[in-house]
Amino acid sequence: MKTKGLASAIVTAFAVPAALWLAAPAVAQPAVQARPAAMAASASTTPQAVAAHYAVLVHANYEDARQGAVALQKAIDTFAAAPSEAGLLAARKAWLQAREAYGQTEAFRFYGGPIDNDDGPEGRINAWPMDESYVDYVVDAPTAGIVNDRKVAITRKSLAALNERDGEENVATGWHAIEFLLWGQDLSETGPGNRSFEDFVDGKRPNADRRRQYLKVVTSLLVDDLGTLVKAWAPRQANYGAKFARGGNESLRKMLVGLGSLSRGELAGERLEVALASQDQEDEHSCFSDNTHRDAVTNAMGIQNVWLGRYVRTDGRVVEGPSLQALVAARNPQLAQRTTAQVAASVAATEGIQAPFDREIVGAKDAPGRLRVQKAIDSLTQQSKDLVEAAGAIGITRLTLVNPE
């Protein structure tokens, strides 16, 4: 199962000395303003307390992501009942809003937790890049895709089974399948895709009924998959979150594996570096909606959330508690402060990437957009080195990593 980062290239998760990690290639919320590391340090901050608070933070973030998906589902159900331009725009807005919370959850991956263990739903939720012709028509293939093959049943079971069948780019479910159905192909250099609402109107476009059904079913599946993650981390339950909270140093190791793998291997590497090298729109994360710049920001924010032990919920409530930052500060205040500053710099660098991302990555090496993307890559790369050093400061010297090719 694969997102782009685990799909095209990498799936190299293995135990290595921490030093080898350094060789591995990479409505908005405001970035969290970090407190000085020395202020965050506390004698009461223990590995157990940090792991237990992480479980609380993860649950809150997944709960927000699911609530965003439920709001998206309501918008899509309304649109499917009576397709209109206004309804389509409302559904697109709901998708963009829901992605803000989900993007921050990417920091909870890469260590075999509920999202991406052998039975985890990550491949159904966020797999990319996708061959859009696997789902619906494209400009050169007007009858392509599951939507236009009336022999294929459009059910939750069938779509889940078809996801990534016979190829990792055969993405049939998740955020990006929904994104493609809402926006269509991005054929513009200055904006996102511009699918007409009439694609969903009987008599205006062949198989409009199946297109409506597909959109509803795939969104329902997304809501339920996110619901399984909420349950896995729910407090006061005999679940993965409870086990993680008791995991001590092993849980800290997993937290740092997630941060390091997302920071260098996935975000800096697969999501930014690959696209910068290819200058190909097909290598950007949310290519149909032109939301890739926000994907980068929310991923960077997710790393910051875990490092600081602080998450700002969608409704503005703040979840805050014992953090990795505080643990490191108790051992090495200067290192904690330097890492905190670097993490904040990475958030700022991703915020500097302009939309549309597919225009940022093209041009000469010194083109302004390419320099902005490279700045984010460089910051995230340095951040990964600081995180390795921080791990060592609290006695974690062996990490399981995901490396890009």
Side-chain angles (χ1 to χ4, degrees):
M1 287 188 303
K2 208 11 230 129
T3 72
K4 164 74 171 183
L6 293 176
S8 70
I10 53 188
V11 203
T12 29
F14 52 91
V16 298
L20 294 187
W21 194 359
L22 306 184
V27 228
Q29 298 181 20
V32 175
Q33 295 301 311
R35 298 167 298 169
M39 291 174 60
S42 168
S44 64
T45 300
T46 63
Q48 189 94 345
V50 173
H53 176 64
Y54 174 86
V56 172
L57 186 152
V58 172
H59 175 257
N61 199 166
Y62 275 132
E63 194 170 57
D64 283 351
R66 183 185 180 277
Q67 289 171 354
V70 168
L72 171 63
Q73 183 178 37
K74 291 178 180 176
I76 283 174
D77 285 348
T78 298
F79 169 66
S84 67
E85 181 69 17
L88 181 56
L89 292 176
R92 290 174 179 171
K93 181 178 180 180
W95 187 94
L96 293 169
Q97 291 175 331
R99 286 289 287 180
E100 290 292 305
Y102 184 79
Q104 295 173 70
T105 72
E106 298 265 53
F108 315 144
R109 292 180 49 201
F110 306 109
Y111 55 78
I115 178 68
D116 56 5
N117 62 24
D118 289 342
D119 299 317
E122 203 282 331
R124 286 196 304 272
I125 291 175
N126 199 41
W128 72 289
M130 71 175 287
D131 175 3
E132 54 264 48
S133 67
Y134 186 65
V135 169
D136 199 2
Y137 78 89
V138 293
V139 66
D140 296 322
T143 62
I146 297 165
V147 165
N148 296 298
D149 184 355
R150 300 196 75 90
K151 296 177 183 178
V152 179
I154 297 177
T155 65
R156 292 157 55 93
K157 182 178 180 180
S158 66
L159 293 185
L162 287 167
N163 190 56
E164 297 185 305
R165 178 184 287 182
D166 300 325
E168 291 172 334
E169 294 192 0
N170 288 343
V171 175
T173 65
W175 290 108
H176 300 296
I178 298 168
E179 178 194 11
F180 171 56
L181 287 168
L182 292 177
W183 274 272
Q185 285 180 285
D186 180 4
L187 303 175
S188 168
E189 290 192 354
T190 58
N194 191 29
R195 185 191 289 273
S196 170
F197 78 90
E198 292 186 341
D199 280 7
F200 299 87
V201 177
D202 293 332
K204 295 291 187 179
R205 167 69 72 171
N207 298 310
D209 58 329
R210 287 174 58 83
R211 198 166 288 109
R212 295 193 302 272
Q213 178 69 0
Y214 197 119
L215 189 54
K216 292 178 63 175
V217 169
V218 76
T219 306
S220 173
L221 184 60
L222 174 66
V223 169
D224 284 357
D225 278 338
L226 290 171
T228 67
L229 299 173
V230 173
K231 290 178 182 178
W233 290 94
R236 298 178 296 281
Q237 302 293 323
N239 57 11
Y240 183 90
K243 181 179 179 181
F244 192 98
R246 298 190 300 268
N249 282 339
E250 174 58 17
S251 291
L252 298 186
R253 187 191 68 81
K254 290 177 178 177
M255 292 166 65
L256 286 157
V257 165
L259 300 191
S261 295
L262 175 58
S263 180
R264 184 62 185 105
E266 183 72 10
L267 180 52
E270 293 298 320
R271 300 190 179 189
L272 297 180
E273 213 161 36
V274 169
L276 191 65
S278 71
Q279 302 193 38
D280 188 345
Q281 179 191 57
E282 292 301 311
D283 285 324
E284 69 163 315
H285 197 181
S286 296
C287 63
F288 312 114
S289 62
D290 276 345
N291 196 54
T292 303
H293 63 299
R294 286 304 304 170
D295 292 332
V297 173
T298 56
N299 289 177
M301 288 173 62
I303 294 168
Q304 186 178 56
N305 295 343
V306 174
W307 172 251
L308 297 179
R310 187 176 193 272
Y311 168 60
V312 181
R313 299 199 60 167
T314 303
D315 63 6
R317 287 178 293 160
V318 177
V319 177
E320 188 166 21
S323 66
L324 289 170
Q325 178 203 42
L327 272 184
V328 176
R331 301 285 185 89
N332 188 332
Q334 293 75 26
L335 173 60
Q337 196 162 18
R338 170 159 50 87
T339 304
T340 300
Q342 190 61 50
V343 169
S346 293
V347 174
T350 57
E351 288 176 330
I353 298 172
Q354 298 181 12
F357 180 81
D358 53 20
R359 293 295 93 197
E360 287 284 89
I361 58 175
V362 299
K365 186 175 181 179
D366 60 351
R370 289 178 61 81
L371 292 176
R372 287 188 286 267
V373 176
Q374 188 62 56
K375 181 178 180 180
I377 293 168
D378 293 343
S379 184
L380 290 160
T381 300
Q382 180 59 50
Q383 171 178 296
S384 71
K385 297 176 183 180
D386 292 343
L387 288 167
V388 169
E389 192 175 348
I394 57 175
I396 298 171
T397 57
R398 292 182 66 83
L399 300 164
T400 302
L401 315 179
V402 174
N403 299 303
E405 284 185 340

